[in-house]
């Protein structure tokens, strides 16, 4: 007789049954819809322990409430066909949200090993029957768009031929829907669709299977030692309604319940020194680190505060050498004490740049962890300078050095007061050393390399969680500005992404070099003006499923006024970053940015939580965004006038009219080239007239201020 354990919330009920047909079921309350989630299967000692194996469920542990309000439940059971094998099931359930996270851990009481009898990973993570549905979508979050040089989201309809031919597809999310219900299955990892580490398959019966592809383990990995083997985290959920209703609920889940790092979800305004460091080199013919000095940084903090910036991030060059990460006393004689004192006086936060894998050859870190250096087929890389600092080598984060790096950042936070950590230059590839934690000497070099790539995604999450558990206000920002970095759902459970640096380079467009000199600038979107903002707005479609506050992107503050309007109008849609030459911005420009950001701060929580409305795409005419909180009408509508031609003159201005989808608060602020009225349903009717390439921001639910926007 099977014991049944029942958990859930006010939207769904989970019955943990342990049967071969259903390890557990998910019932959407108020409907007659229920899904059976079949058990996982593993190849152990050459034998596939298939999903037909039955589990006897024990009493669950007392649930534990997490820092984000979710409840964690754990159940354990033994395989009835082999009571030496046990399975732990972990659920994380959010209040008032239909998404459940779940993962498994398998253990053995005697010596048992995961195997690959045909050299393939033999783990089936999950299986769900979606036979009642007639529409399927693959949602990909890690497609790298080479032309615009950033990661983007792709929503693709799947067809019967793909199922009948057993095509594997990446996800990490598959959505099934019909005229009444939308449901999904997802996994938390990160890789591109052209290089899968896990993926989905479905057959003609529309049974969706989530499988391991490569890197999930090495042949011969024990499950009787330590904590056994833990699967990826997975997600399941359903709503009564359309796919858009599911997307809304999922977006809210990611914003509020996916991560215990609450600070990563807050819409702070960030500044980063890097763009000026680049400008100083390419335009002023100086070194990247010439501006990395106390006087310049203190002056920038003053300017940043006056604009309304809240997190000041010092990019590369603040340190003596990588690995040890000590403040450079030549550049900052007081060890950043005055910097921190000024930031504290302004109520601002300190951020620092790190290359987590870089360690200087003369550092104490290298002396202690030399055996953790990356190698491929026994060959180690040549040391190279890190942005005009000492020559460094690359360390493997899937080794004891990963924990040491986490401990170093915790130490720095307590010593310097840094709470924002930018992680740069972490490639998903490059180590098959047998002495690390991704396969030993009995595993093949290919296996070890794949295991490294698989584990790196999860190790970054572990490191980030270790830091945020010790420093709850910490924000970990993973730079994914280049291809082949592990982008996906996993890291969003711990931090956020730094999405775009400068976008594409001239070689991306096959444009010839016009200057072969030392100071040649590869960056296309480097000049002040509207082009960079258009580029940076292209990935805002992520906001349909993943809140844009999790994709930090920086905009230029440069004069004249229309440029500043465009930049602020873009960043308040969720990207929240500014970089450039703050000290060259005019006094009027500083006041304009401060005033617009001051208005934004009044409603930014509403904007962050609001489901987006898009009208047109980045760079088109018209291009409109609406982020209005449906509960109270507070938020923003932004209208862009895009052109490089000559449509603008006094006699023939460009005119946009937009009517908001949602009712809006009548306490409205708008620039002088805009008029706003309200219809009988409370929707705002916005009419804007542009005489130049510009943007019009209309805030709802704010106290008015002076107009510096035109």
């Amino acid at each position: 007789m099977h014991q049944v354990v029942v958990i859930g919330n006010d939207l769904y009920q989970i019955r943990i049954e342990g049967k071969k047909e259903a390890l557990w079921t998910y019932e959407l309350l108020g409907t007659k819809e229920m899904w059976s989630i079949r058990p996982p299967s593993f190849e152990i000692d050459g034998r596939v322990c298939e999903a037909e194996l039955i589990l006897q469920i024990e009493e669950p542990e007392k649930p534990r409430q997490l820092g984000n309000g979710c409840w964690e439940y754990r159940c354990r059971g033994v395989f009835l066909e082999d009571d030496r094998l046990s399975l732990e099931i972990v659920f994380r359930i959010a209040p008032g949200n239909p998404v459940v996270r779940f993962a498994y851990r398998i253990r053995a009481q005697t010596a048992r090993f995961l195997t690959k009898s045909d050299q393939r990973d033999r783990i089936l993570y999950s299986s769900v029957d979606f036979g009642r549905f007639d529409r399927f979508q693959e949602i990909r979050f890690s497609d790298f768009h080479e032309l615009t040089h950033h990661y983007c989201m792709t929503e693709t309809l799947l067809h019967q031929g793909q199922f009948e031919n057993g095509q594997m597809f990446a996800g990490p999310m598959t959505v099934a829907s019909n005229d009444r219900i939308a449901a999904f299955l997802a996994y938390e990892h990160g890789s591109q669709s052209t290089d899968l580490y896990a993926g989905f398959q479905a057959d003609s019966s529309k049974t969706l299977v989530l499988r391991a592809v490569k890197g999930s383990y090495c042949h011969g990995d024990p499950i009787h030692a330590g904590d056994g083997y833990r699967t990826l985290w997975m997600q399941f959920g359903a709503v009564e309604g359309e796919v858009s209703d599911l997307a809304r609920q999922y977006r809210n889940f990611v914003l509020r319940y996916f991560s215990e790092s609450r600070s990563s979800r807050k819409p702070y305004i960030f500044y980063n020194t890097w763009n000026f460091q680049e400008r100083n080199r390419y335009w002023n013919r100086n070194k990247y680190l010439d501006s990395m000095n106390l006087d310049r940084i203190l002056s920038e903090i003053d300017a940043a505060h006056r604009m309304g910036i809240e997190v000041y991030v010092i990019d590369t060059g603040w340190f003596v050498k990588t690995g040890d990460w000590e403040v450079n006393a030549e550049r900052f004689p007081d060890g950043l004490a005055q910097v921190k004192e000024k930031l504290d006086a302004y109520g601002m936060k300190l951020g620092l740049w790190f290359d987590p894998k870089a360690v200087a050859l003369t550092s104490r870190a290298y002396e202690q962890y030399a055996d953790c250096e990356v190698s491929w087929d026994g060959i180690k890389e040549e040391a190279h300078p890190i942005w005009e600092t000492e020559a460094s080598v690359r360390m493997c984060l899937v080794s004891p050095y990963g924990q040491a790096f986490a401990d170093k950042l915790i130490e720095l936070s307590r010593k310097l007061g840094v709470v924002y950590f930018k992680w740069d230059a972490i490639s998903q590839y490059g180590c098959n050393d047998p002495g690390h934690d991704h396969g030993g000497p009995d595993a093949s070099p290919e296996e070890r390399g794949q295991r490294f790539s698989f584990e790196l995604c999860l190790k970054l999450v572990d490191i980030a969680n270790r830091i945020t558990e010790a420093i709850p206000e910490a924000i970990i920002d993973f730079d994914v500005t280049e291809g082949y970095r592990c982008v996906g759902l996993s890291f969003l459970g711990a931090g956020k992404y730094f999405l775009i640096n400068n976008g594409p380079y001239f070689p991306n467009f096959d444009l010839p070099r016009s200057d072969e000199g030392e100071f040649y600038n590869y960056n296309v979107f480097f000049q002040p003006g509207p082009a960079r903002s258009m580029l940076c707005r292209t990935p805002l479609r992520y906001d349909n499923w993943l809140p844009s506050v999790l994709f930090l992107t920086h905009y230029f503050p440069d004069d004249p006024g229309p440029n500043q309007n465009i930049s602020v109008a873009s960043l308040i849609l969720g990207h929240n970053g500014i970089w450039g030459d703050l000290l060259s911005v005019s006094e009027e420009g500083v006041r304009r940015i401060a005033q617009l950001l001051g208005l934004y701060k009044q409603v930014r929580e509403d904007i962050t939580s609001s489901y987006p409305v898009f009208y047109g795409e980045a760079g088109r005419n018209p291009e409109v965004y609406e982020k209005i909180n449906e509960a109270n009408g507070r938020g923003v509508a932004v209208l862009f006038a895009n052109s490089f031609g000559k449509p603008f003159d006094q006699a023939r201005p460009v005119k946009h009219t937009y009517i908001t989808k949602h009712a809006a608060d009548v306490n409205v602020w708008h620039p002088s080239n805009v008029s706003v009225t309200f219809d009988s349903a409370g929707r705002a009717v916005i009419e804007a007239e542009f005489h130049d390439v510009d943007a019009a921001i209309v805030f709802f639910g704010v106290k008015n201020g002076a107009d510096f926007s035109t």
Side-chain angles (χ1 to χ4, degrees):
M1 189 71 178
H2 291 286
Q3 177 184 353
V4 176
V5 177
V6 180
I7 58 176
N9 61 19
D10 57 350
L11 298 179
Y12 63 84
Q13 183 182 88
I14 289 175
R15 293 171 58 87
I16 309 167
E17 301 180 0
K19 297 180 180 179
K20 63 181 181 180
E21 301 86 3
L23 178 64
W24 53 278
T25 62
Y26 178 108
E27 180 186 357
L28 186 62
L29 299 177
T31 74
K32 296 182 179 180
E33 299 292 335
M34 185 176 70
W35 294 265
S36 297
I37 314 299
R38 293 176 67 93
S41 68
F42 309 85
E43 183 184 294
I44 301 172
D45 295 331
R47 175 175 174 264
V48 175
C49 299
E50 296 196 57
E52 289 79 35
L53 290 177
I54 303 172
L55 294 168
Q56 179 66 53
I57 300 298
E58 300 171 353
E59 281 290 340
E61 294 181 357
K62 183 178 180 180
R64 177 173 70 100
Q65 189 168 31
L66 306 178
N68 55 11
C70 294
W71 288 92
E72 181 179 276
Y73 298 83
R74 293 177 180 264
C75 294
R76 296 184 180 91
V78 296
F79 286 89
L80 289 188
E81 291 188 8
D82 187 345
D83 61 7
R84 295 168 298 176
L85 292 176
S86 65
L87 190 75
E88 180 183 56
I89 314 169
V90 184
F91 293 98
R92 290 186 175 176
I93 294 176
N97 191 277
V99 179
V100 59
R101 295 178 71 203
F102 63 99
Y104 305 121
R105 188 183 297 275
I106 188 168
R107 295 182 176 92
Q109 294 180 5
T110 58
R112 307 294 290 275
F113 303 89
L114 295 173
T115 54
K116 303 181 185 183
S117 57
D118 59 358
Q119 287 76 53
R120 295 186 299 116
D121 288 18
R122 298 296 297 272
I123 295 178
L124 188 155
Y125 293 115
S126 191
S127 176
V128 185
D129 181 2
F130 282 132
R132 301 188 300 279
F133 295 93
D134 53 14
R135 294 187 295 274
F136 290 82
Q137 283 181 276
E138 176 194 14
I139 314 296
R140 298 199 300 266
F141 300 121
S142 56
D143 284 357
F144 193 78
H145 194 315
E146 193 60 47
L147 198 63
T148 52
H149 209 83
H150 62 70
Y151 283 92
C152 60
M153 181 184 70
T154 304
E155 299 174 278
T156 304
L157 290 174
L158 301 171
H159 58 80
Q160 188 69 13
Q162 292 170 284
F163 295 169
E164 291 176 357
N165 288 277
Q167 180 183 352
M168 182 161 279
F169 49 96
M173 176 183 287
T174 299
V175 176
S177 62
N178 55 30
D179 291 337
R180 291 184 52 251
I181 303 291
F184 82 96
L185 179 66
Y187 64 93
E188 298 175 19
H189 197 252
S191 62
Q192 294 186 240
S193 60
T194 53
D195 189 27
L196 291 183
Y197 288 80
F200 295 103
Q201 279 183 311
D203 56 24
S204 57
S205 70
K206 300 177 183 176
T207 296
L208 185 69
V209 177
L210 174 59
R211 299 182 182 276
V213 176
K214 62 183 179 184
S216 56
Y217 64 98
C218 290
H219 179 77
D221 280 356
I223 58 173
H224 58 275
D227 291 329
Y229 180 83
R230 191 195 77 180
T231 68
L232 297 173
W233 280 97
M234 292 161 276
Q235 303 168 2
F236 185 85
V239 299
E240 187 172 17
E242 302 176 348
V243 173
S244 60
D245 299 308
L246 178 63
R248 284 171 177 262
Q249 291 281 12
Y250 188 78
R251 183 186 184 280
N252 187 57
F253 162 76
V254 174
L255 181 64
R256 305 192 186 283
Y257 303 117
F258 187 13
S259 175
E260 291 188 78
S261 172
R262 309 298 284 270
S263 293
S264 67
R265 271 59 181 165
K266 293 182 179 179
Y268 296 120
I269 307 297
F270 296 84
Y271 172 78
N272 184 293
T273 63
W274 176 241
N275 180 259
F276 179 74
Q277 291 178 254
E278 283 195 293
R279 289 186 184 189
N280 204 28
R281 174 170 171 76
Y282 295 136
W283 291 356
N284 301 330
R285 301 296 197 260
N286 295 317
K287 293 182 178 180
Y288 289 115
L289 305 189
D290 281 354
S291 59
M292 191 57 55
N293 60 75
L294 181 61
D295 289 342
R296 171 83 195 188
I297 298 300
L298 292 176
S299 296
E300 283 193 352
I301 291 172
D302 287 331
H305 167 66
R306 291 173 59 226
M307 288 182 184
I309 291 165
E310 297 161 300
V311 182
Y312 183 89
V313 183
I314 307 176
D315 211 271
T316 186
W318 61 270
F319 50 90
V320 180
K321 57 185 69 177
T322 59
D324 292 344
W325 301 111
E326 294 175 340
V327 178
N328 189 315
E330 292 184 5
R331 301 182 182 282
F332 302 98
D334 60 358
L336 294 179
Q338 291 181 70
V339 168
K340 187 62 169 62
E341 181 181 1
K342 178 161 284 198
L343 290 173
D344 288 346
Y346 288 147
M348 298 169 66
K349 300 178 185 298
L350 173 63
L352 296 176
W353 174 96
F354 296 86
D355 181 340
K357 61 177 176 38
V359 169
L361 286 174
T362 64
S363 65
R364 296 187 302 276
Y366 185 75
E367 181 180 356
Q368 185 175 359
Y369 292 99
D371 57 343
C372 297
E373 184 178 350
V374 161
S375 71
W376 189 264
D377 293 342
I379 300 173
K380 297 182 178 181
E381 300 174 351
E382 293 290 331
H384 62 281
I386 301 295
W387 301 112
E388 300 172 355
T389 68
E390 186 177 322
S392 301
V393 294
R394 190 156 62 107
M395 306 297 279
C396 177
L397 294 172
V398 189
S399 76
Y401 181 73
Q403 179 171 315
F405 177 70
D407 292 342
K408 173 58 69 173
L409 267 56
I410 294 169
E411 174 191 324
L412 284 171
S413 181
R414 291 169 175 164
K415 179 180 179 181
L416 303 178
V418 56
V419 295
Y420 169 93
F421 303 89
K422 181 193 173 187
W423 292 357
D424 195 5
I426 309 173
S427 172
Q428 192 169 3
Y429 303 90
C431 188
N432 65 4
D433 193 296
H436 300 166
D437 299 333
H438 49 91
D442 293 334
S444 69
E446 181 182 28
E447 271 193 301
R448 292 195 299 265
Q450 292 174 352
R451 185 75 176 131
F452 167 80
S453 297
F454 180 94
E455 277 293 301
L456 180 65
C457 300
L458 309 179
K459 179 60 70 173
L460 293 176
V461 174
D462 289 344
I463 294 171
N465 282 335
R466 184 179 179 88
I467 295 167
T468 55
E469 285 170 8
I471 314 294
E473 66 271 30
I475 301 170
I476 315 297
D477 203 344
F478 176 20
D479 184 311
V480 294
T481 61
E482 304 292 339
Y484 298 103
R485 299 185 180 178
C486 42
V487 175
L489 289 177
S490 60
F491 195 78
L492 294 181
K496 60 193 295 185
Y497 288 128
F498 188 105
L499 186 61
I500 296 175
N501 188 344
N502 294 309
Y505 309 110
F506 282 105
N508 287 99
F509 300 129
D510 297 324
L511 295 174
R513 291 184 60 162
S514 58
D515 178 6
E516 296 292 334
E518 176 187 358
F519 297 102
Y520 172 73
N521 180 14
Y522 280 91
N523 301 307
V524 178
F525 295 95
F526 201 67
Q527 184 75 16
R532 175 181 169 80
S533 295
M534 292 182 200
L535 167 82
C536 292
R537 292 196 301 273
T538 57
L540 279 170
R541 299 289 168 160
Y542 270 122
D543 205 20
N544 281 335
W545 291 90
L546 305 174
S548 54
V549 73
L550 298 178
F551 297 92
L552 177 62
T553 303
H554 294 76
Y555 295 84
F556 292 149
D558 304 273
D559 297 299
N563 284 348
Q564 293 160 343
N565 294 338
I566 292 168
S567 289
V568 175
S570 302
L571 75 86
I572 65 174
L573 297 173
H575 287 160
N576 288 336
I578 290 177
W579 67 8
D581 188 355
L582 295 189
L583 303 186
S584 293
V585 178
S586 68
E587 180 61 30
E588 181 183 12
V590 170
R591 289 188 291 127
R592 176 183 290 107
I593 293 170
Q595 189 245 359
L596 292 174
L597 291 181
L599 291 162
Y600 168 59
K601 290 175 184 178
Q602 294 182 43
V603 292
R604 61 179 165 182
E605 295 293 344
D606 298 284
I607 293 172
T608 301
S609 64
S610 297
Y611 195 73
V613 177
F614 301 102
Y615 185 65
E617 296 181 356
R620 292 190 179 184
N621 267 322
E623 178 191 352
V624 182
Y625 301 84
E626 177 184 331
K627 297 290 294 292
I628 295 176
N629 187 334
E630 296 176 56
N632 57 25
R634 291 163 53 86
V636 72
V638 177
L639 292 70
F640 293 95
N642 302 310
S643 179
F644 287 98
K646 283 291 185 181
F648 302 101
D649 57 44
Q650 294 300 318
R652 189 185 57 184
V654 169
K655 297 182 179 181
H656 287 344
T657 299
Y658 178 72
I659 301 172
T660 61
K661 180 178 180 179
H662 305 298
D665 192 299
V666 296
N667 295 302
V668 60
W669 180 95
H670 59 79
S672 59
N673 63 321
V674 171
S675 66
V676 179
T677 57
F678 293 86
D679 68 10
S680 58
R683 294 178 289 253
V685 180
I686 303 169
E687 295 183 340
E689 184 175 290
F690 298 95
H691 295 273
D692 199 351
V693 180
D694 206 339
I697 307 172
V698 181
F699 290 106
F700 301 99
V702 298
K703 297 178 181 179
N704 289 339
D707 181 13
F708 293 106
S709 59
T710 56

